[in-house]
Amino acid sequence: MLEKANEYIRRNHIDEKEKPLFHVTPETGWMNDPNGFSVYQGKVHLFYQFYPYKTEWGPMHWGHQVTEDLVKWEAYPVAMAPDQDYDHIGCFSGSAVEADGKHVLLYTGVSQKDGKEIQNQCIAIGDGKTYEKWKDNPVIKGDIMPEKFDRKDFRDPKIWKKDGRYYCVIGNRYEENCGQIVLFSSTDYKNWRYEKVLLRNDGKNGEMLECPDYLEVDGYPVIICSPQNMHAQKYEFHNGHNSIYIIGDAEKEISDFAWEKKRSLDYGLDFYAPQTTELPDGRRIMVAWMKSWDARVMTKGQKWQGMMTLPRELKIKDGKIWQSPVRELEKYKKNPIIYTEQKISGQMSLDGINGRVIDMTVELTNVEGREFKVDVAHNEEYTTTFTYYPEKHQIEIDRTYSGVNADVVCVRKIEIAEKHHAPKLHFIMDRYSVELFINDGEQTASVVIPTPLEANEIIFTSDEAATVNIEKYEITFN
């Protein structure tokens, strides 16, 4: 099955001009959750849930891409296919770690017995390019957990090593519709024991807790997860299937976590299943699937579906995670266009401020009216609008006219802190996406747009006078 997948990719290569320039996309077919985001032999590896044969979900393989700078990616052969009795339904999400000089992938193998689906954790060991599944898989079976812990919804292991011992967290279901995150430990990554529950759903935070990640940022333990079927709470958790984080107690070695401290990781329309890794220089980097499960936002004739966010650096400030584009993007920014204390009144375009593969910062220094708009990927037919409402302390995203032709969510409202009367809006655009970093990354919003590339204008609108500083760069590999 592995060679079949790789041969299919070779025969169905997609021209790179049809895809984003610097966001990871599948070589062909379908992509979802990032997996195995890790550093091995001096390179950053990113695997992902992958079905090469159609632009829709299917029996899950593991795609594989590698980078030296988190911006330019190289596609490697497919790492795993569902070809064993214990994973014949699919090689579901997981993670990776360097161990004994080898690259170890820990993933969920899905099988079926007597008509019932079973999820267990398996490993594959490789050299950074080819991987062999362990002869004694699965290495973590559901039956090592307490009796009421579900054996079917038991997936998405995230592995790490600390003080000579391996740990992993796994998403699980406890009784009906009650998700939880379970901790395991091992001395050798092959033989595991159950430790405890780190977080259990209290019945108010969705159901299954998918894609858990345990990490440390600036000395604080953090849990990240993606609750399914979560109810919105005012301006939070609007996507149904959300991604959240909770900061734990810095005094504990492996902290327990409290639901009342939860926060959204991203306030856009397309963001799920984030995973992090730590670089050799100590930076904690996060990447996520830039899509919502229930939204199919594709251009006509598109041969691929799904992409990843730009990798983001994480910091903790004021009790929150702040995110910023990886600094390596700076060396690909060319041809600056800068406006200082530019007056905006009515609807205006500015010379040189356009494009679809750009880095643009719009810093409002004064806003006198009730709304200020930035329209991107704009022409007479298409536009995506970001509107700032000073009196409401809100930013509204609207992709209604971006070219969507399906019944998907197009509008999202974000509440920002009142202290930011004149916010800074940092846009990263890459052909079919917009990532907005608000006020130096205090909040972010990720949005996929299916807009034809010829719509490349940027329009500014203020109902009364506004003053802005604008810096715009092209992002190019030339």
Side-chain angles (χ1 to χ4, degrees):
M1 288 185 72
L2 203 58
E3 182 51 41
K4 177 185 175 185
N6 285 312
E7 178 59 28
Y8 182 86
I9 292 168
R10 284 191 286 270
R11 289 188 287 106
N12 292 273
H13 177 75
I14 301 173
D15 190 323
E16 294 303 313
K17 293 180 181 178
E18 297 180 34
K19 301 193 295 183
L21 177 66
F22 56 92
H23 285 69
V24 173
T25 52
E27 291 185 271
T28 186
W30 166 277
M31 162 193 283
N32 59 281
D33 306 357
N35 299 156
F37 192 33
S38 57
V39 179
Y40 178 68
Q41 293 186 341
K43 295 183 178 181
V44 178
H45 293 251
L46 178 63
F47 304 83
Y48 45 88
Q49 293 288 275
F50 180 44
Y51 187 59
Y53 306 109
K54 293 183 180 180
T55 56
E56 57 190 50
W57 193 93
M60 286 289 97
H61 299 53
W62 270 38
H64 185 192
Q65 296 192 34
V66 175
T67 182
E68 294 185 0
D69 67 1
L70 294 163
V71 179
K72 296 179 76 170
W73 295 85
E74 178 185 358
Y76 273 25
V78 178
M80 290 192 291
D83 54 11
Q84 302 295 317
D85 288 344
Y86 51 78
D87 65 12
H88 70 275
I89 300 297
C91 300
F92 278 18
S93 290
S95 52
V97 68
E98 183 171 349
D100 302 328
K102 298 293 186 180
H103 203 203
V104 178
L105 314 183
L106 178 63
Y107 72 100
T108 300
V110 185
S111 59
Q112 198 171 56
K113 185 177 181 180
D114 300 328
K116 294 183 179 180
E117 187 175 295
I118 302 168
Q119 298 180 355
N120 289 308
Q121 315 317 313
C122 309
I123 61 174
I125 302 172
D127 59 4
K129 201 156 194 176
T130 60
Y131 296 83
E132 184 175 345
K133 295 174 183 176
W134 181 241
K135 60 182 177 62
D136 293 325
N137 276 336
V139 296
I140 310 177
K141 294 182 179 180
D143 58 13
I144 74 169
M145 298 187 295
E147 184 177 346
K148 291 185 178 181
F149 291 24
D150 193 77
R151 275 47 171 170
K152 175 182 177 293
D153 288 313
F154 177 48
R155 58 183 177 269
D156 310 336
K158 175 62 191 292
I159 187 173
W160 74 96
K161 187 177 184 181
K162 184 174 182 179
D163 298 331
R165 192 169 185 86
Y166 296 92
Y167 297 89
C168 76
V169 286
I170 303 175
N172 182 233
R173 193 185 295 269
Y174 177 78
E175 298 184 330
E176 186 176 1
N177 296 330
C178 183
Q180 61 184 7
I181 296 172
V182 186
L183 176 68
F184 298 82
S185 72
S186 171
T187 58
D188 62 1
Y189 67 81
K190 297 171 184 173
N191 299 282
W192 294 84
R193 75 182 189 194
Y194 165 78
E195 294 287 349
K196 63 177 181 176
V197 173
L198 287 186
L199 181 69
R200 178 173 288 168
N201 199 326
D202 58 3
K204 301 177 182 177
N205 295 282
E207 298 174 6
M208 178 67 181
L209 306 181
E210 291 198 308
C211 303
D213 191 349
Y214 185 95
L215 54 144
E216 293 181 1
V217 183
D218 297 333
Y220 288 89
V222 178
I223 203 83
I224 287 174
C225 64
S226 294
Q228 293 181 309
N229 304 310
M230 194 171 181
H231 291 291
Q233 298 174 23
K234 203 170 181 180
Y235 295 101
E236 303 279 341
F237 321 122
H238 279 230
N239 283 0
H241 302 325
N242 287 272
S243 295
I244 67 169
Y245 71 92
I246 301 171
I247 298 175
D249 186 348
E251 302 304 316
K252 292 186 178 181
E253 184 175 344
I254 296 182
S255 180
D256 294 323
F257 296 87
W259 276 111
E260 60 267 19
K261 296 182 179 180
K262 68 182 182 294
R263 292 182 181 272
S264 295
L265 263 172
D266 191 272
Y267 291 83
L269 296 153
D270 304 285
F271 187 96
Y272 195 70
Q275 190 170 103
T276 73
T277 192
E278 186 177 31
L279 299 186
D281 62 12
R283 283 182 290 162
R284 177 62 63 167
I285 307 297
M286 181 181 71
V287 67
W289 182 39
M290 194 161 21
K291 191 180 181 309
S292 175
W293 271 114
D294 298 323
R296 190 174 177 86
V297 183
M298 298 175 65
T299 60
K300 186 176 181 180
Q302 188 172 306
K303 301 172 185 174
W304 55 273
Q305 168 77 313
M307 71 181 100
M308 299 300 172
T309 62
L310 176 68
R312 302 172 181 180
E313 300 182 17
L314 305 185
K315 291 286 185 183
I316 288 182
K317 180 180 175 182
D318 300 330
K320 296 183 287 187
I321 284 182
W322 294 53
Q323 305 170 46
S324 58
V326 286
R327 63 195 64 172
E328 286 82 355
L329 189 65
E330 292 293 318
K331 68 180 180 181
Y332 298 105
K333 292 164 57 173
K334 308 287 175 61
N335 304 321
I337 303 290
I338 298 174
Y339 287 83
T340 302
E341 294 296 305
Q342 173 65 44
K343 303 295 184 183
I344 303 292
S345 183
Q347 187 177 94
M348 297 176 60
S349 60
L350 299 172
D351 289 345
I353 306 296
N354 56 17
R356 290 286 291 272
V357 186
I358 64 170
D359 180 309
M360 180 179 70
T361 299
V362 179
E363 183 177 14
L364 289 88
T365 59
N366 184 54
V367 182
E368 295 179 5
R370 289 177 295 177
E371 61 180 47
F372 177 87
K373 295 182 179 181
V374 182
D375 282 273
V376 301
H378 178 90
N379 66 7
E380 291 183 356
E381 184 174 358
Y382 301 100
T383 199
T384 294
T385 306
F386 295 81
T387 305
Y388 170 54
Y389 297 101
E391 294 178 357
K392 300 177 182 178
H393 306 288
Q394 288 180 8
I395 293 173
E396 181 184 85
I397 303 167
D398 188 348
R399 67 172 174 198
T400 303
Y401 305 104
S402 67
V404 294
N405 57 9
D407 186 11
V408 299
V409 174
C410 288
V411 177
R412 174 73 76 247
K413 294 180 180 180
I414 307 165
E415 185 176 49
I416 64 174
E418 292 187 14
K419 63 182 179 182
H420 300 296
H421 177 67
K424 181 191 291 186
L425 308 177
H426 184 185
F427 298 87
I428 305 288
M429 297 182 63
D430 188 6
R431 292 181 179 151
Y432 301 109
S433 66
V434 186
E435 291 178 78
L436 175 62
F437 297 81
I438 303 168
N439 296 320
D440 298 313
E442 185 175 8
Q443 292 167 290
T444 62
S446 304
V447 185
V448 174
I449 55 172
T451 314
L453 295 181
E454 58 265 25
N456 69 347
E457 300 171 23
I458 296 174
I459 304 296
F460 302 95
T461 306
S462 181
D463 60 341
E464 294 184 26
T467 307
V468 298
N469 296 327
I470 301 171
E471 287 190 19
K472 174 250 170 180
Y473 301 82
E474 297 174 11
I475 300 173
T476 177
F477 291 166
N478 296 328

